[in-house]
Amino acid sequence: MFKIFINAWRVTDIRRKLLFIFLLLFIYRIGSVVPLPGIDLDSLYLWRFPAEGQAATQGATFISLIMGGGHFSVFAMGIAPYITASIIMQLLTYAIPAISQMQKDGEDGRKKIGQITRYLAVGFAVLQAAGTVFSYTNWPPGVGDGWNMFRLEHQNMLVYVTATVAMTTGTIFIMWLAELLTEKGIGSGASFLIFANILAGLPNGILGLWGMATDPATGVFMGALQLVVVLLVFAFIIAFVVLVHEGERRIPVQNARAAAGGRSGTGVKSQSHIPLKVNIAGVLPIIFAVSIMHFPAQIHGFFGNEGLGTVVRWLNFTDQGAALPIHPFGVLMYMVLIFAFTHFYTSFAVNPVEMAENMKKNGGFIPGIRPGKPTSDYIAATVKRLSWIGSCFYALIALTPILLDWFTAVPIGFGGTTILIVIGVALEFVKQLESQLLMRHYKGFLS
């Protein structure tokens, strides 16, 4: 992998793209620490750097990493509204014929869908920004009486509206950065932004592990033992993620072709395959599950209803950055939602009937399977089995840090889901570099 980066850096065009990516990510990380108008900087400092003897109130939860990880900043929501809008538009493509037709219209249709997605993302950003600013008036939400993070002289409606507009504008600026990264960089811009958020929390995670290993209360031996356990779990998760991420089920396909001269009866057969990845749905099921599990907490932060507080306590599946203990029911619901959304998304992502029809039109067939409906049924059954394997994989990855924290009281700063995102983006980035290097190699050879 390092050889690929060295070779890519030697190519002027790719080096410019890499420098452009670093510049935009640097701008993005600066914006994540710029506070909102009216925020009390003294309270913000105490929240980020608690006094000695006080528990840290800043946790690197998965939802905060997706949102940007910079609470009380103009980039607090990150790319989350745009991701939500993109997922909804992707689902509506299969539900609304008009949007589906736009997708089939080529480049013009995709531009229209992209424009609708941006407008929808702005709408989500306004609503989420208003709710987030409201939650800052009673922080932290969902854990009882908090404090207003705005300065005393700035606690009025005009300042709250200004902060909402600033946060919405920050999200729109991030959407623009993501599109610039996609257009002029390498790979998906939104994935790079999430990747940068996760890596930005790496130093705090390392310091947390070092503090756990050197804590006098636990002793040198127990601290070292806990550190070894955490590192082994990390190694297991990384190896397992790479194994499953690269895993695929290859369905063999034979294509019958007439021999040269157009004479029948002397056909030849070429063999190929249909690659079906184990993780067809990617991390979208986990993003859906986390969003739904956090929705009652957001509503409770707005209204403070006691009934909603009970629901929030029952649905809490991780204590990272929260003052609530892990509840078994919340962990169970988290797993159920991961399984449900994995099967739901996979059913939309793969169309066995269309694949069987295209195969039949091109003269292809699966050995031992008749063309038409038997072929589509075979592909559907294969996809269904892969969905079960993928959902078990997602559930195991998401559950491992929770169980470790639950039974051993060893805190994990980075969950399995964040590792899944980091490895997925890194592997995709390396593949993009390889393809660009290969393309330039062929260009040089042909010239």
Side-chain angles (χ1 to χ4, degrees):
M1 180 168 51
F2 293 105
K3 186 177 180 180
I4 295 175
F5 281 106
I6 293 174
N7 293 334
W9 188 260
R10 292 173 178 171
V11 180
T12 304
D13 187 26
I14 300 180
R15 183 169 65 248
R16 289 176 180 173
K17 290 184 178 182
L18 293 176
L19 292 174
F20 182 76
I21 292 174
F22 294 149
L23 175 62
L24 291 192
L25 293 181
F26 179 72
I27 295 174
Y28 177 57
R29 291 309 306 168
I30 289 179
S32 65
V33 296
V34 176
L36 285 173
I39 288 291
D40 188 354
L41 298 182
D42 294 334
S43 299
L44 180 59
Y45 181 84
L46 291 176
W47 181 80
R48 289 180 175 174
F49 307 99
E52 185 177 356
Q54 295 181 355
T57 55
Q58 173 178 269
T61 62
F62 173 67
I63 194 68
S64 68
L65 291 172
I66 295 296
M67 293 175 62
H71 286 297
F72 315 108
S73 71
V74 293
F75 286 0
M77 294 188 300
I79 198 68
Y82 183 74
I83 293 177
T84 303
S86 300
I87 294 173
I88 291 178
M89 286 300 299
Q90 191 171 8
L91 296 178
L92 290 179
T93 301
Y94 299 95
I96 300 178
I99 301 180
S100 178
Q101 185 60 39
M102 287 183 189
Q103 192 178 34
K104 297 178 182 179
D105 289 341
E107 187 65 25
D108 292 337
R110 286 190 291 270
K111 287 183 178 179
K112 292 180 181 178
I113 293 178
Q115 193 68 15
I116 296 174
T117 303
R118 296 186 193 97
Y119 289 137
L120 189 61
V122 172
F124 284 141
V126 172
L127 295 176
Q128 188 172 342
T132 304
V133 170
F134 182 80
S135 68
Y136 289 166
T137 62
N138 185 26
W139 188 264
V143 293
D145 295 332
W147 65 89
N148 196 323
M149 292 297 296
F150 290 89
R151 294 184 63 88
L152 183 62
E153 63 271 20
H154 294 158
Q155 295 177 10
N156 56 72
M157 186 57 63
L158 180 60
V159 174
Y160 298 156
V161 172
T162 304
T164 301
V165 173
M167 192 178 293
T168 304
T169 305
T171 298
I172 296 174
F173 181 74
I174 293 174
M175 290 166 49
W176 179 66
L177 289 181
E179 292 185 357
L180 275 181
L181 283 172
T182 303
E183 179 183 354
K184 299 182 178 181
I186 302 174
S188 172
S191 299
F192 267 113
L193 296 182
I194 299 175
F195 182 80
N197 288 333
I198 296 175
L199 290 188
L202 184 60
N204 288 334
I206 295 176
L207 290 176
L209 290 177
W210 178 255
M212 176 187 66
T214 58
D215 188 3
T218 59
V220 177
F221 176 77
M222 289 302 299
L225 181 61
Q226 289 180 348
L227 181 61
V228 170
V229 170
V230 172
L231 294 179
L232 288 177
V233 171
F234 277 160
F236 166 76
I237 293 178
I238 292 174
F240 191 55
V241 167
V242 173
L243 177 65
V244 180
H245 187 274
E246 295 298 312
E248 62 182 18
R249 170 71 165 88
R250 297 184 177 182
I251 300 178
V253 177
Q254 289 185 351
N255 297 298
R257 292 289 182 267
R263 292 172 296 177
S264 60
T266 59
V268 295
K269 296 179 180 180
S270 61
Q271 292 186 351
S272 60
H273 63 270
I274 301 176
L276 295 175
K277 297 186 71 66
V278 175
N279 59 339
I280 297 176
V283 297
L284 291 179
I286 298 180
I287 294 177
F288 272 125
V290 171
S291 300
I292 290 182
M293 294 290 289
H294 279 80
F295 184 72
Q298 294 176 353
I299 300 299
H300 179 253
F302 302 156
F303 301 104
N305 184 273
E306 184 61 30
L308 286 175
T310 303
V311 174
V312 170
R313 288 190 293 271
W314 273 67
L315 292 181
N316 188 61
F317 60 95
T318 172
D319 63 351
Q320 296 178 14
L324 301 175
I326 297 174
H327 199 285
F329 181 77
V331 176
L332 178 62
M333 286 299 300
Y334 185 39
M335 298 298 105
V336 170
L337 288 175
I338 289 177
F339 274 86
F341 283 123
T342 299
H343 289 279
F344 176 74
Y345 184 83
T346 304
S347 64
F348 286 107
V350 180
N351 190 341
V353 176
E354 184 178 353
M355 294 174 65
E357 291 179 354
N358 293 334
M359 195 184 307
K360 187 177 180 180
K361 291 178 182 178
N362 296 324
F365 63 93
I366 300 175
I369 307 296
R370 289 180 299 174
K373 190 175 185 304
T375 299
S376 64
D377 292 341
Y378 177 81
I379 296 176
T382 303
V383 171
K384 187 175 182 180
R385 288 194 296 268
L386 290 177
S387 297
W388 280 106
I389 296 174
S391 56
C392 291
F393 160 66
Y394 300 137
L396 179 62
I397 290 297
L399 190 61
T400 299
I402 298 176
L403 293 179
L404 185 67
D405 188 19
W406 200 357
F407 290 108
T408 66
V410 177
I412 301 295
F414 287 88
T417 308
T418 56
I419 297 178
L420 178 64
I421 295 176
V422 168
I423 293 178
V425 175
L427 291 176
E428 185 64 27
F429 180 66
V430 171
K431 289 180 181 179
Q432 292 281 346
L433 284 180
E434 287 180 338
S435 63
Q436 295 207 13
L437 285 173
L438 186 63
M439 180 180 62
R440 281 159 178 78
H441 173 73
Y442 280 127
K443 282 183 177 180
F445 177 75
L446 293 175
S447 61

Coordinates of all heavy atoms in Angstrom, one line a residue, residues 55-84:
A55 N -16.0 13.9 35.6 CA -16.1 13.0 34.5 C -16.1 13.8 33.2 O -16.7 14.9 33.1 CB -17.3 12.1 34.7
A56 N -15.5 13.2 32.2 CA -15.6 13.9 30.9 C -16.9 13.8 30.3 O -17.6 12.7 30.3 CB -14.5 13.2 30.0
T57 N -17.5 14.9 29.8 CA -18.8 14.9 29.2 C -18.8 14.8 27.7 O -19.8 14.9 27.1 CB -19.5 16.2 29.7 OG1 -18.8 17.3 29.3 CG2 -19.8 16.2 31.1
Q58 N -17.6 14.7 27.2 CA -17.4 14.7 25.7 C -17.1 13.3 25.3 O -16.0 12.8 25.6 CB -16.3 15.7 25.2 CG -16.0 15.6 23.8 CD -15.0 16.6 23.3 OE1 -15.3 17.7 22.9 NE2 -13.7 16.2 23.4
G59 N -18.0 12.7 24.6 CA -17.8 11.3 24.1 C -17.8 11.2 22.6 O -18.5 11.9 22.0
A60 N -17.0 10.3 22.1 CA -16.9 10.2 20.6 C -18.0 9.1 20.2 O -17.6 8.0 19.9 CB -15.5 9.8 20.2
T61 N -19.2 9.4 20.2 CA -20.3 8.5 19.8 C -20.3 8.4 18.3 O -19.8 9.3 17.6 CB -21.6 9.0 20.3 OG1 -21.9 10.2 19.7 CG2 -21.7 9.1 21.8
F62 N -20.8 7.3 17.8 CA -20.9 7.2 16.3 C -21.7 8.2 15.7 O -21.3 8.8 14.6 CB -21.5 5.8 16.0 CG -21.7 5.5 14.6 CD1 -20.6 5.4 13.7 CD2 -23.0 5.4 14.1 CE1 -20.8 5.2 12.4 CE2 -23.2 5.2 12.7 CZ -22.1 5.1 11.9
I63 N -22.8 8.6 16.3 CA -23.7 9.6 15.6 C -22.9 11.0 15.6 O -23.1 11.8 14.7 CB -25.0 9.7 16.4 CG1 -26.0 10.5 15.5 CG2 -24.8 10.4 17.8 CD1 -26.4 9.8 14.3
S64 N -22.1 11.3 16.6 CA -21.4 12.6 16.6 C -20.3 12.5 15.6 O -19.9 13.6 15.0 CB -20.8 12.9 18.0 OG -19.8 11.9 18.3
L65 N -19.7 11.4 15.3 CA -18.7 11.3 14.3 C -19.3 11.5 12.9 O -18.7 12.1 12.1 CB -18.0 9.9 14.4 CG -17.1 9.6 15.6 CD1 -16.7 8.2 15.6 CD2 -15.9 10.6 15.6
I66 N -20.5 10.9 12.7 CA -21.2 11.2 11.4 C -21.5 12.6 11.3 O -21.4 13.2 10.2 CB -22.4 10.3 11.3 CG1 -22.0 8.8 11.3 CG2 -23.2 10.6 10.1 CD1 -21.2 8.4 10.1
M67 N -22.0 13.3 12.4 CA -22.4 14.6 12.3 C -21.3 15.6 12.2 O -21.4 16.8 11.8 CB -23.3 15.0 13.5 CG -24.6 14.2 13.6 SD -25.5 14.5 15.1 CE -25.8 16.3 15.0
G68 N -20.1 15.2 12.6 CA -18.9 16.1 12.5 C -18.1 16.1 13.8 O -16.9 16.5 13.7
G69 N -18.6 15.7 14.9 CA -17.9 15.6 16.1 C -17.6 16.9 16.8 O -16.9 16.9 17.8
G70 N -18.0 18.0 16.2 CA -17.7 19.3 16.8 C -18.9 20.0 17.4 O -19.5 20.9 16.7
H71 N -19.4 19.5 18.5 CA -20.6 20.1 19.2 C -20.3 21.7 19.4 O -19.2 22.1 19.6 CB -20.8 19.5 20.5 CG -21.4 18.1 20.4 ND1 -22.6 17.9 19.8 CD2 -20.9 16.9 20.8 CE1 -22.9 16.6 19.9 NE2 -21.9 16.0 20.5
F72 N -21.4 22.4 19.2 CA -21.5 23.9 19.5 C -20.7 24.6 18.4 O -20.3 25.8 18.6 CB -20.9 24.2 20.8 CG -21.5 23.4 21.9 CD1 -20.6 22.5 22.6 CD2 -22.8 23.4 22.3 CE1 -21.1 21.6 23.6 CE2 -23.3 22.6 23.3 CZ -22.4 21.7 24.0
S73 N -20.4 24.0 17.3 CA -19.6 24.7 16.2 C -20.5 24.9 15.0 O -21.6 24.3 14.9 CB -18.4 23.9 15.8 OG -18.8 22.7 15.1
V74 N -20.1 25.7 14.0 CA -20.9 25.9 12.8 C -21.0 24.7 11.9 O -21.8 24.6 11.1 CB -20.3 27.1 12.0 CG1 -20.4 28.4 12.8 CG2 -18.8 26.8 11.7
F75 N -20.1 23.7 12.2 CA -20.1 22.5 11.4 C -20.6 21.3 12.3 O -20.3 20.2 12.0 CB -18.7 22.1 10.9 CG -18.2 22.9 9.8 CD1 -19.0 23.9 9.2 CD2 -17.0 22.7 9.2 CE1 -18.6 24.7 8.2 CE2 -16.5 23.5 8.1 CZ -17.3 24.5 7.6
A76 N -21.4 21.7 13.3 CA -21.8 20.6 14.2 C -22.6 19.5 13.6 O -22.5 18.4 14.0 CB -22.7 21.3 15.4
M77 N -23.4 19.8 12.6 CA -24.2 18.8 11.9 C -23.5 18.0 10.9 O -23.9 16.9 10.4 CB -25.5 19.4 11.3 CG -26.4 19.9 12.3 SD -28.0 20.4 11.6 CE -27.5 21.7 10.4
G78 N -22.3 18.5 10.4 CA -21.5 17.8 9.4 C -22.3 17.5 8.2 O -23.1 18.4 7.7
I79 N -22.1 16.4 7.6 CA -22.7 16.0 6.4 C -23.9 15.1 6.6 O -24.6 14.6 5.6 CB -21.6 15.1 5.6 CG1 -22.0 15.0 4.1 CG2 -21.5 13.7 6.2 CD1 -21.9 16.3 3.3
A80 N -24.4 15.0 7.8 CA -25.5 14.2 8.2 C -26.8 14.5 7.4 O -27.5 13.6 6.9 CB -25.8 14.2 9.7
P81 N -27.2 15.8 7.3 CA -28.5 16.0 6.5 C -28.4 15.6 5.1 O -29.3 15.1 4.5 CB -28.6 17.6 6.7 CG -27.9 17.9 7.9 CD -26.7 17.0 7.9
Y82 N -27.2 15.8 4.5 CA -27.0 15.4 3.1 C -27.1 13.9 2.9 O -27.7 13.4 1.9 CB -25.7 15.9 2.5 CG -25.5 15.6 1.1 CD1 -26.2 16.3 0.1 CD2 -24.6 14.7 0.7 CE1 -26.0 16.1 -1.3 CE2 -24.3 14.4 -0.7 CZ -25.0 15.1 -1.6 OH -24.8 14.8 -2.9
I83 N -26.5 13.2 3.9 CA -26.5 11.7 3.8 C -28.0 11.2 4.0 O -28.4 10.3 3.3 CB -25.6 11.1 4.9 CG1 -24.2 11.4 4.6 CG2 -25.9 9.6 5.1 CD1 -23.2 10.9 5.7
T84 N -28.7 11.8 4.9 CA -30.1 11.4 5.1 C -30.9 11.7 3.8 O -31.7 10.8 3.4 CB -30.7 12.2 6.3 OG1 -29.9 12.0 7.5 CG2 -32.2 11.8 6.5

